[in-house]
Amino acid sequence: MTTPRPDITTEADVRLLVDTFYARVNEDALLDSIFNGFAQVDWAHHLPNMYDFWSGLLLGTSRYHGRPFPKHVPLPIDATHFQRWVALFCATVDDLFAGPTAEEAKLRGRAIAQVFETRLQARGPLSVL
Ligand code: HEM
């Protein structure tokens, strides 16, 4: 029998999701090479920003006022990276939580990844056409 998992309902839940996800990102060779290799992310800054971002999407708070997409434009990422991101993110949600908001988190993660991936394809050589 599996242990019943709670849904995402509090700021502590959002922090646990974000912290666990990025800990897994850091252990994943493909994504580590982007976050820590190419971008040299300052985690002390990035993690609280991501708490605010996900808290806005899932709990309806309004602390996040950034524009996520431009930060991704210089990154050397393609469909392979997005597939890994989505797989790790959804697995993290499922390991920790279950319920309507957990489903919403996976839906939003997948949808935003799809939008980013499609928009980033416009960086390619065909974009001048
Ligand atoms: C291959 C997939 C992805 C990679 C490699 C990636 C990488 C990064 C990097 C390097 C940053 C800049 C961190 C910094 O220095 O401040 C960033 C920022 C951010 N990313 Fe991603 N990301 C990916 C996908 C996503 C997805 C799917 C989402 C949303 C669901 C997302 C949401 C954000 C947000 C909200 C920020 C903060 C932007 C800001 O306000 O400064 N990322 N990401």
Side-chain angles (χ1 to χ4, degrees), residues 22 31 34-35 39-42 45-46 49-50 53-54 57 64 66-69 71-72 75 77-78 81-82 85-86 108-109 112-113 116:
Y22 285 104
L31 294 179
I34 304 298
F35 280 92
Q40 309 221 333
V41 166
D42 173 1
H45 169 80
H46 187 53
N49 204 20
M50 298 312 290
F53 175 75
W54 282 107
L57 291 183
Y64 180 77
R67 291 177 60 226
F69 182 69
K71 284 280 165 73
H72 301 81
L75 303 177
I77 51 178
D78 59 21
H81 298 89
F82 281 104
W85 191 104
V86 167
R108 301 300 286 264
I112 297 168
F116 282 7

Side-chain angles (χ1 to χ4, degrees), residues 21-90:
F21 172 61
Y22 285 104
R24 293 182 183 187
V25 161
N26 284 324
E27 285 170 6
D28 180 89
L30 182 70
L31 294 179
D32 168 74
S33 73
I34 304 298
F35 280 92
N36 298 303
F38 184 88
Q40 309 221 333
V41 166
D42 173 1
W43 292 102
H45 169 80
H46 187 53
L47 291 176
N49 204 20
M50 298 312 290
Y51 303 152
D52 290 348
F53 175 75
W54 282 107
S55 169
L57 291 183
L58 302 177
L59 304 180
T61 55
S62 47
R63 297 188 303 272
Y64 180 77
H65 298 293
R67 291 177 60 226
F69 182 69
K71 284 280 165 73
H72 301 81
V73 174
L75 303 177
I77 51 178
D78 59 21
T80 318
H81 298 89
F82 281 104
Q83 275 159 22
R84 185 68 56 84
W85 191 104
V86 167
L88 276 186
F89 184 76
C90 291

